[in-house]
Amino acid sequence: MEEKEDDTKISIADPIQDHQETTFSFDFRTEFLQDENKTPFFKPRSRRRRRDTCVIFAFVIIHLVVFLITMAVNDCGYNSHGDCAFKALGRMSFQPLLENPFLGPSASALDKMGAIRRTLLAEHQTWRLFMCPLLHAGVFHFMINLLCIIFIGIYLEKEFGSIRTGIIYMLSAFSGTLVTAIFVRDSPAVCSSGPLFGLLGATVSALTRNWKFYTNKVAALLTLFFVAGFNLMLGLLPYMDNYSSIGSMISGFLLGLVLFYTPQLRQVAQKKISLCEYGVKSSFNWKQKLDRPVLRSASLILFSLLFVGLLVAVLLGINISHYCRWCRYIDCIPYKRWSCNDLTSSCETMGSDKELTLTCMGNGNFRVFPFTNISQERTQDLCTLICS
């Protein structure tokens, strides 16, 4: 009888001990899952195949095709009478560095392809708003911009999907172009850095929103700001545009808050180990359901107001640079070879059988060229160089 009583006591104590162990196991697993799901930023959680990241590569191919067409239209060997860099490239050779510091086409070629200029927008050439984000100032700009787009864009496409990344790419690029249209001076500007800054803004929103789910967030944030700062410095040179970069980054940040989800939630939902884990998942979802609609709705409203306001301002022909004199220095740094002010370049032309002399009416500078057959657009390019 005594042994039976002892057995009874043991059987009563065991359920209590099991309950305590189960509670401890739940707390440990909750903490373990949170630590386990932390990953370095720029290391996608989803393992998508290469063909599932085709949106960024499609945009890269479009940029490449447009750049090759631009260089073919430029035709430096013919239009500049051989005064080109890398003459061995023939029709695809570049304008001299003194004319284009990025090794690219002339100003008149960019105008033909769709660069934004104040006087051309005044003529209601709205098609330029769609072509400008596809144009590059030169081969240096082309290589740096696309390498950054590939680095940032492929990560976003693997992590958040092609549709979301493509929407942010296009909407932020067009928003940046609208910002350029209300600030641009009377000189050609290309906006192909806008899509890159849109992706950068979206990446910053994804990082800050999911800050606790990554391990190297400070290093990632410094990397993003370095890429942005370096490209903004390049934007101070001729033809590149910083207005579109700033506008696209703000738009990309807001769109990222609207479209990008939290990767941690999806990762936890895929692991179905025990009943305890389902309790952890529902707790995270409950908190997120209270917060996500408010954040997304506010970001969507802000982006919509920004987009509509910019569109109306462009359609009304508003020129903010006319009221903000210092704004030009966001996009340009004064240098002896170019000016940050709008210059009305006018030159006196004197020609003979073999030579052409252009004299700037503004500063008296002149230059003699060993040819006479030159187009009016190319004459204006040379006149601008002499007068600047």
Side-chain angles (χ1 to χ4, degrees):
M1 292 296 293
E2 292 179 358
E3 293 181 356
K4 290 183 180 179
E5 290 177 359
D6 295 338
D7 293 339
T8 305
K9 292 179 181 179
I10 293 174
S11 62
I12 293 173
D14 284 344
I16 299 175
Q17 183 177 0
D18 292 343
H19 177 72
Q20 293 175 350
E21 291 178 355
T22 303
T23 305
F24 172 77
S25 176
F26 174 82
D27 295 336
F28 173 78
R29 179 163 293 174
T30 302
E31 183 178 357
F32 175 75
L33 286 174
Q34 293 177 2
D35 294 337
E36 186 187 48
N37 285 311
K38 288 185 177 182
T39 59
F41 201 72
F42 294 124
K43 181 180 179 181
R45 297 170 180 268
S46 60
R47 300 184 177 275
R48 295 178 183 267
R49 294 166 293 184
R50 179 171 294 182
R51 65 169 179 249
D52 294 330
T53 59
C54 59
V55 169
I56 293 299
F57 285 110
F59 285 125
V60 169
I61 292 174
I62 293 173
H63 281 291
L64 176 60
V65 171
V66 172
F67 182 72
L68 293 176
I69 294 175
T70 303
M71 295 309 303
V73 171
N74 181 65
D75 194 2
C76 181
Y78 176 79
N79 293 317
S80 298
H81 296 270
D83 184 18
C84 310
F86 296 96
K87 298 179 182 180
L89 296 177
R91 187 184 184 98
M92 308 299 290
S93 56
F94 312 112
Q95 300 300 130
L97 282 173
L98 295 178
E99 183 177 350
N100 188 330
F102 292 105
L103 280 182
S106 63
S108 57
L110 290 175
D111 284 337
K112 290 179 182 178
M113 290 299 299
I116 291 182
R117 185 195 286 260
R118 172 58 53 189
T119 54
L120 298 177
L121 286 178
E123 299 175 1
H124 304 289
Q125 299 183 18
T126 54
W127 60 274
R128 296 179 178 275
L129 299 175
F130 301 95
M131 279 300 299
C132 188
L134 301 176
L135 298 177
H136 287 84
V139 65
F140 292 151
H141 180 205
F142 175 82
M143 294 176 62
I144 294 172
N145 190 54
L146 289 192
L147 285 176
C148 294
I149 286 178
I150 291 173
F151 171 66
I152 302 295
I154 289 181
Y155 164 75
L156 291 179
E157 194 170 356
K158 285 183 177 180
E159 186 75 349
F160 301 105
S162 301
I163 296 178
R164 292 181 178 91
T165 304
I167 291 174
I168 291 177
Y169 186 101
M170 292 185 291
L171 286 180
S172 62
F174 189 69
S175 300
T177 305
L178 294 178
V179 175
T180 298
I182 61 177
F183 279 98
V184 71
R185 296 174 292 116
D186 194 22
S187 58
V190 298
C191 306
S192 55
S193 293
L196 167 62
F197 277 82
L199 297 178
L200 284 172
T203 308
V204 171
S205 71
L207 176 59
T208 54
R209 180 179 177 183
N210 307 307
W211 185 261
K212 62 182 179 179
F213 299 133
Y214 298 108
T215 57
N216 62 338
K217 47 246 188 179
V218 175
L221 197 61
L222 291 176
T223 300
L224 295 175
F225 281 113
F226 172 78
V227 173
F230 180 75
N231 282 273
L232 285 174
M233 292 296 294
L234 291 179
L236 296 175
L237 299 176
Y239 306 134
M240 277 189 65
D241 178 72
N242 276 341
Y243 300 123
S244 64
S245 300
I246 296 173
S248 295
M249 191 166 191
I250 296 173
S251 300
F253 181 82
L254 294 175
L255 288 171
L257 294 177
V258 175
L259 296 176
F260 286 167
Y261 52 83
T262 304
Q264 172 74 0
L265 298 179
R266 185 176 64 176
Q267 185 75 4
V268 172
Q270 289 176 354
K271 294 185 177 181
K272 299 179 180 179
I273 301 175
S274 65
L275 182 62
C276 297
E277 185 175 340
Y278 285 112
V280 175
K281 187 191 77 168
S282 61
S283 176
F284 273 97
N285 282 340
W286 178 77
K287 293 179 181 179
Q288 196 68 11
K289 285 178 181 177
L290 293 179
D291 177 66
R292 186 182 299 172
V294 176
L295 180 64
R296 287 186 171 181
S297 300
S299 301
L300 181 60
I301 292 173
L302 287 176
F303 172 76
S304 300
L305 293 175
L306 175 65
F307 186 86
V308 172
L310 290 172
L311 188 60
V312 171
V314 172
L315 294 177
L316 294 177
I318 295 176
N319 181 11
I320 296 183
S321 295
H322 180 73
Y323 307 98
C324 180
R325 297 297 183 182
W326 59 267
C327 290
R328 69 190 69 175
Y329 300 111
I330 298 176
D331 186 53
C332 176
I333 182 172
Y335 186 59
K336 62 182 181 180
R337 298 194 181 278
W338 62 77
S339 174
C340 296
N341 299 318
D342 288 333
L343 297 177
T344 303
S345 302
S346 178
C347 292
E348 180 183 9
T349 304
M350 297 179 61
S352 61
D353 294 338
K354 297 182 179 180
E355 294 181 340
L356 177 68
T357 303
L358 294 180
T359 304
C360 179
M361 303 299 292
N363 55 22
N365 294 337
F366 69 94
R367 185 175 174 183
V368 180
F369 299 94
F371 49 79
T372 56
N373 55 332
I374 182 174
S375 65
Q376 183 177 358
E377 293 83 3
R378 185 59 188 157
T379 302
Q380 186 61 39
D381 289 341
L382 298 176
C383 179
T384 301
L385 290 175
I386 297 172
C387 293
S388 61

